[in-house]
Amino acid sequence: MQHQPWPHVSRRALITGTLSALALTATGCTAKQPVGPSPTPSASPSATPPRVLRLASAADPLGFDPALVGDTDSFRITRQVYETLISIDTSTGGPVAGLAESWTESEDGLRYTFTLREGVQFHDGEPLTAKAVVANFERWQKMNAEQRAGSVQGFDDVFHVSAKLPSLPSAKDIEADFGKSEDLTEAEKAQLQQRLDQLKSIESAFKHDLFTGSGDKKSASYFESVKATGDREVTLTLRRRLPSLIEALTLPGMAIASPKALKSTGTKALSAVPVGTGPYRLSSFSEGVVSLELNKDYWNTARVGANPQHPERVEVVSIPSPHNRLNALLAEEVDGFDMVSVDVLRTLVRQAKVVVQRDPFSVLYLGMNHKHKWLGKPAFRHAIAHALNKGQLAEKLFISGTKQAHTILPPTLSIPDPDEVLGHDEAKAKELLSELKYDGEPIEFAYPLRVARTSLPLPERTFAYIAEDLAKVGIVIKPRPIAWSDDYLGTVRSEKFTGLHLLGFSGGYRSPDDFISSILAQKKYEFGYTSALLDAQILLARSLPQGEERTTAYQQIVNTLNQDLPLIPLVYPISALAFNPSVSYYPSSPVLNEVFVDTQVQVAAPSNG
């Protein structure tokens, strides 16, 4: 059965600047990624300086091994050095041939066969073979719990190899969670009945063998095996149908590394010396600057040749402050920078710079740990939800077009909002707090410092805005600023932290499961929250093909999260980059699949001195 691509995913860009820059950007639409041989572009004359792209990011990469990291700044680099079996069409956002030139799917959806490209070699000269691909899968399988916890958008996130089958609650368990029936409101009675109905439908599905194959019968891992069934043929077998598999294989954490490097450098060495098949090689990384050089032996000569203005060298420098990134651009110390914040946007427009927006495909949320004395009370969490003015937050601290969020799923995924949306209502928040007899006990609120994320460009100001909303209804918070580089993520996901925190997620492919499974992967620690019913709902929804049944399944998950409220979705942020006229086109991507070889840069005139 041949794979069918996704529906079209639009990309829009807000362009401001000179007329010439506008024309260049408007006409610079990225064509579908070319494949196959073509003449290698002739070398530039020695007198002509190399084309260089100098880009400012908000933070240093945490490492260069895509299987062990999960931050945007690391993936920005690894996407240049490594490639995946399946690539992303830069025009539609759908999956296209990558290192695998084709693939087939069995009728039962449990077996995929990939045919690899000929003539592809890794940066160390090793050829791409089926055995090389298998070596990567074997390495991912052997990663320990600590390594898997650090990985985001990789093997464990795709195949859920660490997951166990949930033990379903009984009807009495669910009724006990709601309390005495005579004390329930009509709305709570309706929610209880909805939960009982959901449990009944899930119990029926769980009576069957959900997973096949030789794995542990209590395991919820989708992965069965991977084998080299030819020199260039790889066969991947699943234990349960996974309709989004091909899209998931585009994730940066599924990049294929050199088998020689895997064997000779040790588990962590790839973080310092990455070896892939991509269009760039890592030249150096020191003092906050990553240097990349064009891979002269890159297999996809058609892609390189289609863009004569591709950068031959790239320098990515980390500048945490948005104002410092702006100043570096204005001083022409960099050609562009990522994470444009709303407070520098006006200056960019006034200075006639080019601003390129990404389509919104991320979510910012407020996490609430259920183990906390007050946050463990549903009514208190509801009070917080009613206290927050998400509309004003989106309008004041994010780029125009950012919308308030009612679920963790962006609108482009077409999953309806929950049945009951907890909107801004200060009076209702105060009423709930009064009924709970909240005594003003301070609640710790963690937020990151010296960083900007796609979902959180201004963390300090976002914290201040939310803290002000909470203060208006009488909730007292205790600020806990933590530098991103001081393991902010690890802190808010530890058992020791039980307060409020800000975090977000940027989607890697077009599937609700990418958002739901990734955000909830550490829910026991990040939110102090467990739910066997929710786990079962997610497991069953994951195997459904696109259609009405799948939409309904994810809407039920959204409703469960809205009732349990481990987190409050805040906004769907729009992120943007800014450039000087030296960059006439940049391949912005909602899923951040931005490969520099598709960028168009101008060559500076040679000096007469």
Side-chain angles (χ1 to χ4, degrees):
M1 182 167 59
Q2 285 295 134
H3 168 83
Q4 296 296 320
W6 311 330
H8 176 74
V9 179
S10 65
R11 176 186 298 129
R12 64 190 177 93
L14 168 66
I15 305 297
T16 62
T18 63
L19 182 60
S20 60
L22 176 61
L24 282 166
T25 308
T27 59
C29 297
T30 307
K32 290 184 178 180
Q33 180 175 314
V35 294
S38 74
T40 302
S42 58
S44 302
S46 57
T48 304
R51 294 179 300 275
V52 179
L53 173 65
R54 301 168 303 167
L55 189 67
S57 63
D60 280 338
L62 298 179
F64 302 119
D65 185 343
L68 299 179
V69 296
D71 62 299
T72 299
D73 298 291
S74 294
F75 286 149
R76 187 196 311 279
I77 305 302
T78 65
R79 286 185 187 275
Q80 319 305 322
V81 178
Y82 297 95
E83 294 175 304
T84 48
L85 289 175
I86 310 298
S87 189
I88 299 174
D89 189 300
T90 52
S91 295
T92 68
V96 292
L99 294 179
E101 65 181 7
S102 63
W103 63 91
T104 58
E105 177 185 352
S106 63
E107 288 298 326
D108 62 4
L110 297 181
R111 189 174 65 258
Y112 290 79
T113 302
F114 301 90
T115 301
L116 305 180
R117 294 186 183 280
E118 283 190 277
V120 178
Q121 68 177 24
F122 294 93
H123 297 167
D124 59 5
E126 285 291 297
L128 173 70
T129 63
K131 289 183 178 179
V133 173
V134 171
N136 278 266
F137 274 85
E138 290 175 342
R139 180 221 180 186
W140 297 331
Q141 284 179 269
K142 294 175 183 176
M143 290 196 311
N144 59 40
E146 181 182 356
Q147 292 167 335
R148 285 187 171 138
S151 169
V152 176
Q153 299 187 334
F155 182 75
D156 205 35
D157 302 273
V158 174
F159 297 100
H160 307 278
V161 294
S162 302
K164 296 294 182 182
L165 280 174
S167 299
L168 294 183
S170 67
K172 289 184 177 180
D173 292 332
I174 293 178
E175 290 169 349
D177 288 340
F178 276 79
K180 296 180 180 179
S181 58
E182 58 268 23
D183 296 333
L184 300 181
T185 65
E186 290 303 316
E188 289 170 335
K189 289 178 181 178
Q191 290 178 2
L192 171 59
Q193 188 58 51
Q194 183 183 60
R195 291 292 182 92
L196 293 174
D197 291 342
Q198 290 173 350
L199 176 63
K200 186 175 181 180
S201 64
I202 288 173
E203 283 178 331
S204 175
F206 268 68
K207 290 178 180 178
H208 304 282
D209 290 331
L210 296 175
F211 290 86
T212 64
S214 59
D216 177 0
K217 295 302 181 182
K218 294 183 179 180
S219 169
S221 169
Y222 286 74
F223 182 81
E224 170 66 18
S225 66
V226 63
K227 296 179 180 178
T229 46
D231 289 342
R232 295 191 300 114
E233 184 179 276
V234 177
T235 299
L236 173 63
T237 304
L238 304 178
R239 299 181 63 230
R240 181 171 170 83
R241 182 186 286 269
L242 196 56
S244 62
L245 174 66
I246 294 300
E247 288 85 352
L249 292 179
T250 66
L251 289 173
M254 296 300 297
I256 304 299
S258 162
K260 181 179 178 181
L262 292 178
K263 187 179 298 183
S264 62
T265 60
T267 304
K268 295 184 178 180
L270 282 175
S271 291
V273 185
V275 186
T277 61
Y280 292 93
R281 302 168 184 255
L282 179 69
S283 175
S284 65
F285 174 41
S286 62
E287 298 180 355
V289 180
V290 178
S291 295
L292 301 168
E293 296 286 346
L294 188 68
N295 175 17
K296 299 298 184 182
D297 298 319
Y298 183 46
W299 63 270
N300 197 344
T301 54
R303 183 178 192 177
V304 178
N307 177 24
Q309 294 175 290
H310 62 266
E312 295 166 296
R313 191 170 77 242
V314 179
E315 294 178 356
V316 182
V317 57
S318 107
I319 305 177
S321 163
H323 289 280
N324 289 346
R325 291 196 295 275
L326 171 65
N327 290 336
L329 184 76
L330 296 179
E332 298 189 354
E333 295 170 354
V334 297
D335 302 305
F337 71 87
D338 199 357
M339 305 299 174
V340 171
S341 59
V342 67
D343 53 351
V344 303
L345 191 57
R346 181 175 297 180
T347 301
L348 290 167
V349 173
R350 190 166 54 243
Q351 295 293 326
K353 301 301 180 182
V354 179
V355 178
V356 180
Q357 287 186 191
R358 300 182 180 99
D359 279 339
F361 202 57
S362 62
V363 63
L364 172 66
Y365 62 82
L366 176 69
M368 303 181 291
N369 198 294
H370 287 199
K371 292 182 179 179
H372 188 276
K373 171 185 174 181
W374 291 105
L375 296 176
K377 301 178 185 295
F380 195 89
R381 300 195 298 274
H382 282 213
I384 291 177
H386 287 306
L388 301 182
N389 190 336
K390 301 179 188 178
Q392 287 293 309
L393 179 68
E395 180 181 339
K396 292 187 176 182
L397 297 186
F398 292 86
I399 292 174
S400 177
T402 295
K403 304 295 184 184
Q404 61 176 303
H406 300 309
T407 80
I408 57 176
L409 302 178
T412 186
L413 295 175
S414 302
I415 304 300
D417 284 343
D419 297 332
E420 180 188 1
V421 174
L422 301 174
H424 180 229
D425 188 338
E426 290 184 16
K428 181 64 176 177
K430 291 178 180 178
E431 178 186 337
L432 290 170
L433 294 173
S434 176
E435 291 174 354
L436 288 170
K437 294 182 173 53
Y438 171 58
D439 58 6
E441 179 182 338
I443 298 173
E444 198 168 29
F445 189 164
Y447 62 96
L449 294 176
R450 296 191 291 279
V451 72
R453 304 283 87 190
T454 306
S455 55
L456 187 56
L458 295 169
E460 295 93 338
R461 290 179 59 186
T462 303
F463 157 77
Y465 195 94
I466 293 174
E468 183 179 353
D469 276 351
L470 297 178
K472 288 177 181 177
V473 301
I475 296 176
V476 180
I477 61 96
K478 178 182 179 181
R480 185 175 174 183
I482 305 171
W484 183 263
S485 58
D486 289 340
D487 197 17
Y488 172 81
L489 189 61
T491 300
V492 300
R493 287 180 170 173
S494 71
E495 291 185 275
K496 296 179 180 179
F497 182 82
T498 58
L500 299 165
H501 69 273
L502 286 173
L503 210 55
F505 179 76
S506 295
Y509 64 103
R510 189 180 168 85
S511 168
D513 186 60
D514 184 34
F515 280 81
I516 289 171
S517 293
S518 297
I519 292 174
L520 298 177
Q522 302 287 329
K523 65 180 181 296
K524 179 180 179 181
Y525 305 107
E526 184 176 349
F527 311 116
Y529 168 63
T530 57
S531 170
L533 179 63
L534 177 69
D535 292 342
Q537 288 177 310
I538 293 172
L539 187 152
L540 295 178
R542 189 180 289 139
S543 294
L544 295 174
Q546 285 195 14
E548 185 177 347
E549 185 181 3
R550 178 177 180 266
T551 299
T552 300
Y554 279 109
Q555 187 177 18
Q556 290 178 349
I557 291 170
V558 163
N559 276 320
T560 299
L561 286 172
N562 191 57
Q563 291 169 13
D564 292 353
L565 216 61
L567 56 88
I568 299 175
L570 298 173
V571 297
Y572 303 120
I574 291 177
S575 64
L577 308 98
F579 296 98
N580 279 320
S582 56
V583 178
S584 55
Y585 177 75
Y586 183 84
S588 65
S589 165
V591 297
L592 308 180
N593 181 49
E594 298 165 352
V595 183
F596 297 148
V597 77
D598 297 325
T599 304
Q600 296 174 5
V601 298
Q602 307 300 317
V603 179
S607 172
N608 295 323

